[in-house]
Amino acid sequence: MEPKKTTKADVGRNSSIYFAVGLALMLLLTNLAINYKTYDKAAIDIGQLTMDEELEEEIPITDQLKTPPPPPPPPPAAPEIIEVVEDEVEVEETVIESSETSQEEEIVEVEEVVVEEVEEDIEVPFAVIENVPVFPGCEKEKGNNAKKACMSEKISQFVNKKFNTDLASELGLSGRQRINVIFKIDKNGEITNIMARAPHPGLEKEAKRVIGMLPKMKPGMQRGKAVTVPYSLPILFQVQD
């Protein structure tokens, strides 16, 4: 049986297209409605702008300093007058004789030159010397340490015996006194270069006097040669009130 209506007159023919277009329009309207924003209208007071008259600044008139003109250049110096002097003075020329010798000249024999050796005064500290100076009475001690101890003891006994301890009270000093003495035992065993430091010059003088009385010693030896040995000695004593 043939249909009564034509396909162009069929309303449901494009229904799916219309549905899709309508759905898209609805989604677009919904999105616009959700994102739509409104703002409250309020009056904003921006104040009143007043324009004052432009201030005119008066610029003071200053006097321009006039620099003085530069001084005139000095007059040119007068040319020097050159006098021509006749050369009448005869100058003797110095003749340098040749130092070369000829084969005919006799050769003088030179005697043998003897160069004298100068012995240097070498100082070696007391703590590191190979053989320490030997105080009289310490010859029997064996080893450097034993001789050092013997020497220190002998010098202390000598100073205690010879030093005038009453001098400090006579000088008006009181309490504990300390005198630092430094001297040297030269390569001949003699006492030289005595220096002392004390609270009073009188004590320094007395310390030098006592150390100068020390007996001659056997000099210290370093590598088989006699050398100078410096020695320091503190002197301590208590002044009795």
Side-chain angles (χ1 to χ4, degrees):
M1 184 177 180
E2 296 180 357
K4 296 180 180 181
K5 298 181 180 179
T6 63
T7 56
K8 294 181 180 181
D10 189 3
V11 180
R13 180 170 57 92
N14 296 325
S15 61
S16 59
I17 297 174
Y18 298 150
F19 177 77
V21 173
L23 182 60
L25 291 175
M26 292 301 296
L27 290 175
L28 178 62
L29 292 175
T30 305
N31 187 21
L32 292 175
I34 293 173
N35 293 327
Y36 180 74
K37 296 181 180 179
T38 58
Y39 299 95
D40 297 334
K41 295 182 180 179
I44 299 174
D45 186 8
I46 61 174
Q48 184 176 1
L49 179 63
T50 58
M51 298 293 293
D52 296 335
E53 295 180 357
E54 184 178 359
L55 297 177
E56 295 181 359
E57 183 179 358
E58 296 182 359
I59 301 174
I61 300 174
T62 57
D63 296 335
Q64 186 176 3
L65 297 177
K66 297 180 180 180
T67 56
E80 297 181 358
I81 300 174
I82 301 174
E83 296 181 359
V84 180
V85 180
E86 295 182 0
D87 189 6
E88 297 179 354
V89 181
E90 296 181 359
V91 180
E92 295 181 0
E93 296 182 356
T94 303
V95 178
I96 300 175
E97 297 181 357
S98 175
S99 59
E100 296 181 359
T101 59
S102 61
Q103 295 181 355
E104 299 176 356
E105 187 176 355
E106 296 182 359
I107 300 174
V108 180
E109 294 183 359
V110 180
E111 297 180 358
E112 185 179 355
V113 179
V114 179
V115 179
E116 296 182 358
E117 295 183 358
V118 180
E119 295 184 1
E120 297 181 359
D121 191 7
I122 302 174
E123 291 187 7
V124 180
F126 184 77
V128 298
I129 191 169
E130 292 179 355
N131 297 320
V132 296
V134 180
F135 196 90
C138 299
E139 294 85 0
K140 296 181 181 181
E141 301 293 337
K142 295 181 179 180
N144 265 355
N145 293 333
K147 290 179 180 179
K148 286 180 182 179
C150 180
M151 180 178 176
S152 299
E153 184 179 357
K154 293 287 186 181
I155 293 177
S156 298
Q157 292 175 358
F158 184 89
V159 173
N160 291 334
K161 184 179 179 181
K162 300 294 184 179
F163 195 88
N164 182 15
T165 56
D166 297 333
L167 179 63
S169 58
E170 295 175 3
L171 296 173
L173 302 176
S174 61
R176 188 180 183 184
Q177 303 298 319
R178 179 185 178 94
I179 307 171
N180 294 321
V181 183
I182 300 175
F183 60 92
K184 295 180 181 180
I185 306 167
D186 65 7
K187 58 185 178 181
N188 298 321
E190 302 288 345
I191 305 300
T192 60
N193 296 342
I194 304 172
M195 294 182 291
R197 178 176 293 180
H200 195 278
L203 295 179
E204 295 178 357
K205 184 177 180 180
E206 177 65 13
K208 292 179 180 179
R209 182 189 70 84
V210 174
I211 297 300
M213 296 170 60
L214 287 172
K216 185 177 180 180
M217 307 180 195
K218 183 180 177 181
M221 306 293 290
Q222 185 74 12
R223 296 181 181 178
K225 292 185 179 181
V227 294
T228 301
V229 180
Y231 191 88
S232 60
L233 175 69
I235 302 174
L236 303 174
F237 62 94
Q238 183 72 29
V239 179
Q240 302 295 332
D241 296 334

